[in-house]
Amino acid sequence: MPIGEIFRHDTIKKIILKYKTIWALGHAMALMGWDLETYMPQDGIKDRSEAFAELEALRQRLVKDPELEKLVNEAEKDSGSLNDYERGVVRVMKRTIRIAKAIPEELIRREAKVTSEATVVWKRAKSKANFDLFKPYLEQIVEIQREKAEKLGYEEHPYDALLDLYEEGLRTRDVEKIFNELVPATKKILEAIRSMGFYPSHHPLEDREYDIDAAQQLIRDILVGFEWPWNRGRVDESAHPFTIEMGVNDIRITVRYEGRDIKRAVYSLVHEYGHALYELQVDPRLAHTPIGGGVSMGIHEGQSRFWENIVGRGPWFIKWLKERLDKHIGYTKSYDPVEIYRYVNTVRPDLIRVDADEVTYNLHIYLRFDIEKKLIEGTLHPSEVPMYWDNKIEELLGVRPRNVAEGALQDIHWSHGSIGYFPTYTLGNVVAAAMWTRMGGPDSELLRKLKLRSIRNWLKERIHQWGATYAPKELLRRSLGVELTAKYLVEYLEWKYLELPNKLNEYIA
Ligand code: MG
């Protein structure tokens, strides 16, 4: 489709033309990344990493092209005559150029070197449950991230500069405000769950093995039920499920089959489907432009959590799911829908984030946020992290790691240098719950009747079609009329975990 339809301003057209090379590089790198996680032979990693580094450096050079910056500044001066899409292009380009210019090449190279070693060392340290191996790397990584924050600049807190890399405009105080409300509310909900006894901490179906061929049929069937556009998307297998988009007409997701506890494969698929749908429903006229994809990690995670938890683990989804489970997996036939609902909604305060349920998950994120913030402020030293972690997780969830592999070494993120990323997971839950509220909450017709096509359209209208036209906070304000707050998430959790058990039949029937 011609870009002239919505991009009319001459300078904007020139920016988009220049941007196209940057887009094409990103397109190629996405494909290389997908291949790396799926079909690349193991020993291809070294060349692939070098190719990535070269292309990334090239991308940086193109972003820093003075001609491009000149055009962006020119367009900004004429902001009054731009439409929303055009202003979005200026906003995204200014931000991209600002970040690229702020971080010196020397720092990028140092970070790349340290993190590529750190990832290898982290794996070994985790397998040996030995923090001392990883400690010098964490020290360097924290130092590099602190330098980066100084280079990027911030108004209130150095951690703001890092948060902003993953979530445009997100500040430490936004995250603090969310957790100040969410943490005590979650603890209360957990206590109530325990005393009510409806949501189990373990379900026997979690121990059942399944046939992988049958599971592949099930996954295919679920996607057919979602009207997955096979001409625009693929589904493959990988060790860590993910979604990657090459463009609005080529979105790829992956799943993993562990052979036990079928809900794990099902919900990781439904999660990735939520990410994919966002990209599939971006206005195609925005393709190849700086605003032609999801706007931020938090909004993206909001889409995936919405499908995984609010649609997929909701009472409205159970009959739909059970029909497919019964057909392909079989042994679910002897469980009634309420049992299936309980199976997919176990709540278990535990040590490992990636296995956490939707109630306890945010406490895991709070712990990481708290530690990262302190590391960046310099009020916590990397050597103190394991002890701090163990004490804090015990205080939050009542469980204590037996070793550091179950504690501070469990996640790969810090070895990658990703500090400031974790809060976007909770932001996703916050966004998903806000969408749920605006969709009508417990009374939503779309959910109660499981009108999948209408749900997709609802999301497209409000969020997906815009791509990155509006900054995340502005998108939430415009499309949902909400600010960043834990309010809706707390209301959602209270409804689902405290009220719903008494009237579940109304919803499942
Ligand atoms: Mg995700």
Side-chain angles (χ1 to χ4, degrees), residues 271-272 275 301 304:
H271 179 98
E272 298 310 329
H275 281 301
E301 194 66 7
S304 58

Side-chain angles (χ1 to χ4, degrees), residues 190-468:
L190 278 172
E191 265 168 47
I193 290 171
R194 201 167 336 164
S195 69
M196 286 166 78
F198 175 79
Y199 290 95
S201 62
H202 180 81
H203 194 280
L205 280 174
E206 289 178 287
D207 303 322
R208 289 296 293 263
E209 290 180 3
Y210 59 80
D211 177 65
I212 302 232
D213 289 339
Q216 285 168 334
Q217 294 300 318
L218 168 69
I219 291 303
R220 220 185 147 74
D221 214 1
I222 290 174
L223 283 169
V224 169
F226 286 168
E227 299 183 280
W228 175 254
W230 299 97
N231 55 330
R232 299 170 61 203
R234 283 187 61 91
V235 182
D236 295 88
E237 291 180 32
S238 71
H240 305 283
F242 67 95
T243 301
I244 199 157
E245 96 281 359
M246 254 57 79
V248 73
N249 291 311
D250 186 352
I251 320 277
R252 306 178 186 200
I253 57 183
T254 65
V255 276
R256 175 170 67 154
Y257 302 102
E258 296 159 301
R260 184 192 298 270
D261 193 5
I262 188 66
K263 74 176 175 184
R264 292 169 64 89
V266 168
Y267 286 100
S268 82
L269 171 86
V270 178
H271 179 98
E272 298 310 329
Y273 169 77
H275 281 301
L277 186 67
Y278 187 4
E279 299 292 339
L280 284 164
Q281 299 207 110
V282 170
D283 186 334
R285 293 173 305 172
L286 307 183
H288 311 170
T289 78
I291 57 170
V295 67
S296 69
M297 308 289 307
I299 302 288
H300 234 297
E301 194 66 7
Q303 309 314 304
S304 58
R305 299 282 162 137
F306 182 81
W307 281 93
E308 178 191 353
N309 291 330
I310 292 174
V311 178
R313 286 193 167 92
W316 25 72
F317 194 67
I318 297 304
K319 284 202 161 162
W320 193 95
L321 176 65
K322 182 171 156 53
E323 213 175 280
R324 286 158 180 84
L325 285 172
D326 290 354
K327 181 174 165 197
H328 297 289
I329 304 300
Y331 57 67
T332 49
K333 279 187 200 144
S334 51
Y335 292 81
D336 68 21
V338 172
E339 265 318 297
I340 298 296
Y341 177 77
R342 294 176 77 237
Y343 162 53
V344 302
N345 282 295
T346 51
V347 178
R348 181 166 55 236
D350 215 337
L351 295 165
I352 307 299
R353 175 187 60 86
V354 294
D355 295 332
D357 53 81
E358 66 175 331
V359 184
T360 57
Y361 197 91
N362 299 303
L363 298 180
H364 291 271
I365 300 305
Y366 170 63
L367 165 70
R368 287 151 179 81
F369 160 71
D370 181 49
I371 291 176
E372 290 186 346
K373 189 188 77 175
K374 290 188 161 83
L375 287 171
I376 296 302
E377 301 173 334
T379 52
L380 185 73
H381 189 269
S383 63
E384 300 168 318
V385 167
M387 185 55 82
Y388 187 87
W389 181 296
D390 292 357
N391 291 336
K392 192 93 183 173
I393 193 84
E394 189 167 18
E395 180 194 314
L396 288 167
L397 284 166
V399 288
R400 195 173 179 93
R402 282 162 299 182
N403 57 57
V404 73
E406 294 179 342
L409 284 183
Q410 68 179 267
D411 299 309
I412 198 169
H413 300 57
W414 291 340
S415 78
H416 286 163
S418 304
I419 293 185
Y421 182 114
F422 281 120
T424 66
Y425 291 125
T426 285
L427 214 60
N429 292 328
V430 162
V431 168
M435 298 195 310
W436 176 74
T437 305
R438 286 294 172 260
M439 200 177 268
D443 304 319
S444 163
E445 276 286 298
L446 301 192
L447 289 168
R448 293 190 71 160
K449 298 202 167 136
L450 197 68
K451 294 181 174 170
L452 291 170
R453 199 173 294 171
S454 306
I455 294 172
R456 287 199 299 270
N457 283 331
W458 192 98
L459 296 170
K460 179 181 180 177
E461 288 283 303
R462 283 161 184 80
I463 309 280
H464 299 173
Q465 63 159 324
W466 300 110

